[in-house]
Amino acid sequence: EAGVTQFPSHSVIEKGQTVTLRCDPISGHDNLYWYRRVMGKEIKFLLHFVKESKQDESGMPNNRFLAERTGGTYSTLKVQPAELEDSGVYFCASSHRQGPYEQYFGPGTRLTVT
Amino acid sequence: EDQVTQSPEALRLQEGESSSLNCSYTVSGLRGLFWYRQDPGKGPEFLFTLYSAGEEKEKERLKATLTKKESFLHITAPKPEDSATYLCAAFEGGNNRLAFGKGNQVVVIP
């Protein structure tokens, strides 16, 4: 069974540009989560999808971040326009069930905004 | 305010030298306490979930325990391949999400 995959693995963009991150969850997992780790800080929750619906987006930093999950399969996270403080590692995780059950993480996308 | 605090931040062990990592949490209504392992450049890898105080789980040289305020990850007779960052995360009752600590970076020296 394939794990959670993320693309790209690295992205370097200039301030003001747009970047789109993609996450493919484990097949059959309705629950998809985005997290972010900023240097020196802990991994923090961004949002949670159940199928194509946003269940909780309270962790999104501001309206420059837009997440979508069309068709309830893969998800994209777009940052527009990017700012320096958006640099970090963005992780996607998926889970078969909602609630306190194991979430399987992808390898992450390292975003550097210069 | 930190909900999950891990200590020590970094730990160097000689191969075979057992030790314990601490994770203290202040979340209300804990529904699960998770331990993950993370290697450099990779995503967190699931290890354990503990659901109630007194619960213990083991996997190879790792043993996780849970009390009402903290969890411990015991590493028995570690090997160099146990070198990694160990992450603790609490699943809080009002929010459907994991709240992570900063991690314990463990280096096991041959």
Side-chain angles (χ1 to χ4, degrees):
Chain A
E1 180 183 84
V4 177
T5 58
Q6 293 187 245
F7 182 84
S9 57
H10 291 85
S11 180
V12 181
I13 61 172
E14 292 182 354
K15 176 182 174 181
Q17 291 186 321
T18 298
V19 64
T20 300
L21 314 181
R22 173 171 170 145
C23 167
D24 287 79
I26 293 172
S27 178
H29 282 193
D30 289 338
N31 294 274
L32 187 150
Y33 304 82
W34 284 97
Y35 292 87
R36 177 175 75 170
R37 184 166 196 164
V38 173
M39 186 174 291
K41 301 283 189 179
E42 66 274 19
I43 295 173
K44 286 200 170 180
F45 168 85
L46 295 178
L47 86 158
H48 169 214
F49 282 99
V50 177
K51 297 185 180 180
E52 68 275 8
S53 299
K54 291 177 186 175
Q55 184 81 1
D56 180 359
E57 54 183 330
S58 61
M60 296 286 261
N62 50 60
N63 59 10
R64 295 184 293 102
F65 289 75
L66 176 64
E68 295 181 324
R69 192 182 181 194
T70 307
T73 54
Y74 71 91
S75 174
T76 58
L77 180 64
K78 183 162 71 174
V79 184
Q80 178 183 29
E83 298 289 345
L84 299 178
E85 62 265 25
D86 300 332
S87 296
V89 182
Y90 290 77
F91 292 105
C92 174
S94 72
S95 176
H96 180 57
R97 291 183 289 178
Q98 193 172 165
Y101 305 104
E102 49 265 40
Q103 296 179 17
Y104 297 94
F105 281 74
T109 294
R110 180 173 296 277
L111 174 65
T112 302
V113 183
T114 62
Chain B
E1 180 185 338
D2 290 343
Q3 294 182 300
V4 179
T5 304
Q6 294 186 245
S7 62
E9 288 186 15
L11 187 63
R12 290 172 65 88
L13 299 171
Q14 290 290 329
E15 184 172 0
E17 178 188 1
S18 300
S19 188
S20 296
L21 311 177
N22 176 264
C23 169
S24 62
Y25 60 91
T26 58
V27 298
S28 59
L30 182 77
R31 295 177 62 198
L33 191 292
F34 292 71
W35 282 97
Y36 283 85
R37 170 192 170 126
Q38 186 174 24
D39 293 300
K42 297 190 177 181
E45 175 189 345
F46 173 77
L47 292 173
F48 306 108
T49 308
L50 302 167
Y51 291 105
S52 57
E55 189 175 359
E56 300 182 350
K57 288 191 177 175
E58 290 189 61
K59 180 179 181 179
E60 296 181 353
R61 295 174 293 281
L62 302 177
K63 178 180 177 181
T65 62
L66 181 65
T67 72
K68 289 187 177 179
K69 293 185 178 181
E70 57 192 350
S71 177
F72 292 92
L73 184 65
H74 307 279
I75 310 177
T76 301
K79 298 182 177 181
E81 53 262 41
D82 295 322
S83 297
T85 296
Y86 292 88
L87 299 169
C88 172
F91 197 99
E92 187 180 6
N95 301 309
N96 195 26
R97 65 178 73 172
L98 291 172
F100 280 88
K102 290 183 178 180
N104 307 100
Q105 186 176 20
V106 175
V107 175
V108 182
I109 305 163

